[in-house]
């Protein structure tokens, strides 16, 4: 998935930490979301990388909470169970170029 994101030109994605089933830290150099925001509006008081934040959480939910590798039926109930339960993964952007950081960073962990 990281290679696909890089190939699409969304930035240079790199998983800097992965504790399977517990935590992911994803770094993005040259994030198109932050760069686009900076170009259009200037510096932001809030993080602006919504795709990477939600996408990283979605991947962790699919892999570790919903076990997509077991080939479940892709139903509305399956997807609701991935994102609407205690223990579902949530992404939080900790660094953002639009806020002045050198790169964007997202941490993903189960909701508490």
């Amino acid at each position: 998935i990281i290679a696909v994101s890089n190939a699409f030109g969304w930035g240079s994605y790199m998983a800097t930490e992965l504790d399977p089933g517990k935590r992911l830290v994803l770094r993005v150099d040259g994030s198109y979301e932050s760069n686009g925001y900076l170009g259009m509006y200037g510096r932001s008081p809030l993080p602006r990388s919504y795709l990477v934040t939600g996408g990283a959480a979605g991947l962790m939910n699919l892999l570790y909470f919903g076990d997509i590798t077991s080939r479940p039926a892709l139903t509305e109930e399956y997807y609701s169970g991935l994102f609407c339960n205690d223990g579902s993964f949530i992404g939080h952007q900790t660094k953002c170029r639009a806020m002045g950081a050198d790169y964007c960073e997202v941490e993903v962990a189960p909701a508490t």
Side-chain angles (χ1 to χ4, degrees):
I1 293 297
I2 288 175
V4 170
S5 298
N6 291 339
F8 283 157
W10 295 341
S12 179
Y13 285 51
M14 178 176 37
T16 58
E17 294 179 42
L18 175 61
D19 188 355
K22 296 180 183 172
R23 183 172 184 261
L24 168 68
V25 178
L26 193 61
R27 175 180 171 152
V28 183
D29 288 304
S31 165
Y32 84 98
E33 290 176 292
S34 285
N35 289 344
Y37 189 92
L38 279 170
M40 292 176 67
Y41 307 107
R43 203 161 188 174
S44 173
L46 302 170
R48 298 292 176 175
S49 300
Y50 305 111
L51 177 74
V52 67
T53 302
L59 288 172
M60 290 292 281
N61 279 314
L62 284 168
L63 288 170
Y64 298 112
F65 194 69
D67 190 16
I68 194 73
T69 62
S70 69
R71 297 180 171 231
L74 303 179
T75 63
E76 185 175 333
E77 292 80 22
Y78 173 76
Y79 286 112
S80 292
L82 283 178
F83 302 108
C84 302
N85 284 311
D86 291 338
S88 293
F89 287 88
I90 293 180
H92 175 73
Q93 189 168 4
T94 56
K95 295 183 183 178
C96 183
R97 279 196 24 80
M99 296 176 67
D102 291 336
Y103 56 89
C104 294
E105 183 177 81
V106 171
E107 292 183 18
V108 180
T112 54

